[in-house]
Amino acid sequence: MTISPEARMSVDRFWSTIEASAEIGKGRPGGLSRLTLTDSDREMRDLFCDWCREAGLEVEIDELGSIFARRDGTDSSLAPILIGSHLDTQINGGRFDGIAGVLAGLELVRTLNELGHVTKRPIVIVDWTNEEGARFSPPMVASGCFVGRYERDWVYDLEADDGPQFGDELERIGYKGDKPCKAGEIDAYFELHIEQGPILDAEGREVGVVTGGYPSHGMRVRFEGETAHTGPTPMDLRHNALIAGARFLTAVDDIGWEFAVHDGKATGSRLAAWPNKPGILSDTAQCIADVRHPDPITAKVMAEKMRRAAKASAAMAGCVAVIEDEWVWGGDIFDGELVNGIRDEAVRQGYNWRDIQSQAGHDAYHMAMHCPSAMIFTPCKGGITHNNNESCEPEDFRAGLNMLLHAVVKRADR
């Protein structure tokens, strides 16, 4: 026997957890700066684990610090349903990005506890470490390692801008767990997230059914040059890595404008040089950039232009370009059956919904490589995100929460 079709989550209780989270790691007014593996991240993790244990969940921490909170099913030998997102934020982040998805999973379990319903399959809530990549690049490394895309020790060796390595910071905050960072059998993965775009808000929609993601290609490039005095060094003898990086990022921006008419986007998001001081040319620079487009072939063309721009920019500055890392995500990656189940709930419950593509990266992209996965988008005001002015109201989550509840329970009870 499953739950009543009229069962609903408590938006007020969900919102109380959002407000409690918003007190930890405050950044600019109204926002958060809760970077991964910092003291504020530990404080939020501790609170989340307390909430999970109070809800009767068994909490485990894996080798990369991701938190898994399990509610057993009536047949716990069956593959579980995972509901996940992240609790870390950007350096100038909002109160909802990622956080809403983790706390939606918690509210779902609390609702089932109140209803006295135990699903056939186990349900596991996941807080993925370092989704944002704001302190350790690239983003989404924990979910990527979980599905075999990255090696654990490679992740441990990642260095933060402020110096420490990933593995050392895991130990420092007490979240270097024993659970292997390796996906076993998983029946399905669900992720609720704010849209991070303006479409739902502009159209007055209550919820979005995510059908896939914009194909996206990103890279981290290191430019190698040579230090020299800025005064006497002739222009033709300079090897200024800072200039190579700057040329590369402006070239990437030009690629975005070249394809913008059909909603292509290109972003130069990082330039870090050394020594980066007056009076001396920089001998190293690191850049991070990405391109994305709704058409996968066009996205590949943009990515190739980006690679060529790296080499050309290095040559113009007398430097060498080394592509240290590349990543690809997006496309038609979400499971049709799960997407249809979410859409059916939108129709059954009478919400104003639409199909929508994600234009950002999410842990669900990695999970879709391993098991059937799907996402639900809730609206945010003006699509403002990765910004302290990111804004939602409690009512913005009602449809998404209730669709998640029934879609997950139907899957977990089968």
Side-chain angles (χ1 to χ4, degrees):
M1 183 176 180
T2 191
I3 61 174
S4 164
E6 305 307 314
R8 298 291 184 267
M9 288 209 219
S10 170
V11 175
D12 290 342
R13 185 170 55 198
F14 165 78
W15 191 257
S16 72
T17 60
I18 291 286
E19 290 188 319
S21 163
E23 295 298 314
I24 300 174
K26 289 184 177 181
R28 290 179 176 176
L32 291 172
S33 186
R34 195 163 66 217
L35 300 188
T36 195
L37 308 187
T38 58
D39 290 346
S40 60
D41 184 28
R42 171 175 55 196
E43 185 179 351
M44 184 64 224
R45 288 164 172 267
D46 289 348
L47 178 59
F48 174 64
C49 289
D50 287 345
W51 283 338
C52 289
R53 293 185 178 105
E54 288 169 3
L57 303 181
E58 178 187 356
V59 176
E60 289 186 293
I61 315 298
D62 81 359
E63 296 167 310
L64 291 187
S66 295
I67 301 170
F68 296 80
R70 178 185 174 100
R71 185 180 196 258
D72 277 336
T74 58
D75 186 351
S76 287
S77 67
L78 295 175
I81 306 290
L82 267 60
I83 307 169
S85 200
H86 59 98
L87 294 172
D88 67 316
T89 77
Q90 280 288 335
I91 194 166
N92 184 35
R95 303 166 61 199
F96 307 99
D97 172 9
I99 298 160
V102 178
L103 300 184
L106 175 64
E107 182 53 38
L108 185 147
V109 166
R110 288 172 167 175
T111 300
L112 293 181
N113 288 347
E114 282 187 343
L115 295 173
H117 181 75
V118 180
T119 54
K120 185 176 181 181
R121 293 179 180 274
I123 293 175
V124 180
I125 311 167
V126 188
D127 165 36
W128 300 109
T129 300
N130 193 54
E131 191 274 351
E132 291 291 0
R135 190 175 179 219
F136 297 94
S137 179
M140 297 137 55
V141 292
S143 58
C145 183
F146 188 70
V147 300
R149 179 162 187 176
Y150 302 118
E151 294 293 329
R152 181 202 65 184
D153 290 344
W154 179 84
V155 178
Y156 282 163
D157 289 340
L158 293 175
E159 291 188 2
D161 284 347
D162 53 339
Q165 290 187 312
F166 192 105
D168 293 338
E169 287 294 87
L170 269 180
E171 288 189 356
R172 185 186 69 81
I173 70 166
Y175 274 88
K176 193 173 187 179
D178 297 325
K179 180 182 172 67
C181 186
K182 184 176 182 181
E185 187 181 358
I186 298 168
D187 182 69
Y189 175 82
F190 291 85
E191 184 166 347
L192 179 144
H193 207 283
I194 61 171
E195 180 197 350
Q196 297 186 288
I199 295 173
L200 296 177
D201 183 49
E203 295 183 357
R205 306 280 186 172
E206 294 174 280
V207 70
V209 179
V210 185
T211 58
Y214 274 36
S216 303
H217 299 253
M219 62 172 56
R220 185 175 71 243
V221 186
R222 185 178 75 257
F223 294 96
E224 299 176 347
E226 185 176 82
T227 59
H229 197 296
T230 60
T233 306
M235 293 299 291
D236 62 343
L237 296 181
R238 295 181 177 215
H239 309 282
N240 191 343
L242 175 62
I243 294 302
R247 288 185 183 277
F248 171 63
L249 294 183
T250 56
V252 170
D253 190 64
D254 289 342
I255 294 169
W257 285 107
E258 180 182 352
F259 291 90
V261 67
H262 296 299
D263 209 25
K265 299 178 177 71
T267 304
S269 57
R270 175 181 169 86
L271 172 57
W274 188 91
N276 197 27
K277 299 292 184 182
I280 186 169
L281 307 182
S282 292
D283 70 4
T284 59
Q286 185 191 76
C287 295
I288 295 177
D290 68 75
V291 296
R292 54 194 79 192
H293 195 281
D295 174 61
I297 301 301
T298 305
K300 288 181 180 179
V301 171
M302 295 172 72
E304 181 58 29
K305 284 178 172 283
M306 181 168 59
R307 291 187 199 94
R308 294 183 182 184
K311 302 297 183 182
S313 300
M316 291 174 71
C319 298
V320 174
V322 179
I323 298 176
E324 296 181 312
D325 190 26
E326 289 191 77
W327 53 90
V328 180
W329 58 63
D332 295 326
I333 56 174
F334 293 137
D335 180 75
E337 183 179 352
L338 292 188
V339 171
N340 286 337
I342 292 169
R343 191 184 291 117
D344 289 347
E345 281 303 316
V347 173
R348 184 185 70 81
Q349 296 184 44
Y351 293 124
N352 183 356
W353 64 279
R354 63 161 287 169
D355 285 348
I356 193 168
Q357 280 188 295
S358 170
Q359 299 185 52
H362 302 284
D363 292 304
Y365 289 10
H366 284 324
M367 292 303 296
M369 299 168 57
H370 179 77
C371 65
S373 301
M375 294 189 72
I376 296 171
F377 273 175
T378 58
C380 56
K381 187 175 181 180
I384 296 170
T385 187
H386 285 192
N387 185 295
N388 57 297
N389 291 317
E390 182 179 276
S391 179
C392 301
E393 299 296 330
E395 196 60 29
D396 292 328
F397 292 100
R398 187 177 300 278
L401 289 172
N402 291 327
M403 288 162 54
L404 179 72
L405 172 66
H406 287 276
V408 167
V409 171
K410 284 181 180 177
R411 181 81 180 193
D413 277 340
R414 69 174 200 168

